[in-house]
Every structure is written in C-alpha cells, then in structure tokens.
Amino acid sequence: MLLKKNRDLEALLERIDNNMANNYKDAAQDYLKQYEARLHELLETGALKDKQKVHYESLLGSYRERMKEFRHKDQKPYWT
C-alpha cells in the first residue's frame, strides 16, 4: 500500500530541498520552521493518518539533524 502524500507538507519539503541545494541557508531554515508548524497543525486536527504521521515526523527529525549547523553564522571561511 502506498503512502498518500500531503500536498502542503510535500511542497514545503521541496522548498527546503531546493534551498539547501542552492545553499540558501536562511530560507531553508525558514521553510523548515514552516514545515514543523504545518505538521503540528495537521497532527492537532487529526488530518494525517497513522502512517503519514510516522513518515512526516521522521522526516522532520532527519531534516532537523541535517540542518543543525546549516546557517550562515556557522559557516567556516575557506581561507582558515
């Protein structure tokens, strides 16, 4: 059985990925916050099925981990 995807969350994930690929760190962080807020909103209203909850919560965890130090202030200059 295929997991039915949530359009809102998938669109935010695509934006996060695109911004990460282009090294737009601040924008990627902003979209991650939007993703987390939207996920919590959908969880509170019961709009997601159990498999979707597990899938999107696990994605949130992995994106948080990948983006832990994905900020301009954490960037090391190449000349040091």
Side-chain angles (χ1 to χ4, degrees), residues 15-76:
R15 289 183 176 129
I16 293 168
D17 287 334
N18 288 339
N19 282 298
M20 286 177 72
N22 289 312
N23 207 28
Y24 298 147
K25 297 177 181 187
D26 295 334
Q29 291 287 350
D30 288 342
Y31 281 118
L32 180 63
K33 288 177 188 171
Q34 289 178 36
Y35 173 81
E36 185 171 6
R38 184 66 180 139
L39 176 60
H40 288 299
E41 186 180 306
L42 292 170
L43 291 172
E44 287 175 7
T45 61
L48 297 176
K49 297 182 177 175
D50 289 339
K51 286 185 179 183
Q52 289 175 315
K53 288 179 192 178
V54 170
H55 174 70
Y56 288 118
E57 285 175 332
S58 105
L59 283 176
L60 176 60
S62 75
Y63 274 94
R64 274 186 187 156
E65 189 62 33
R66 284 173 47 198
M67 294 175 63
K68 217 176 232 179
E69 294 185 16
F70 192 72
R71 293 183 283 293
H72 285 293
K73 70 178 188 166
D74 296 327
Q75 188 172 345
K76 305 285 185 246

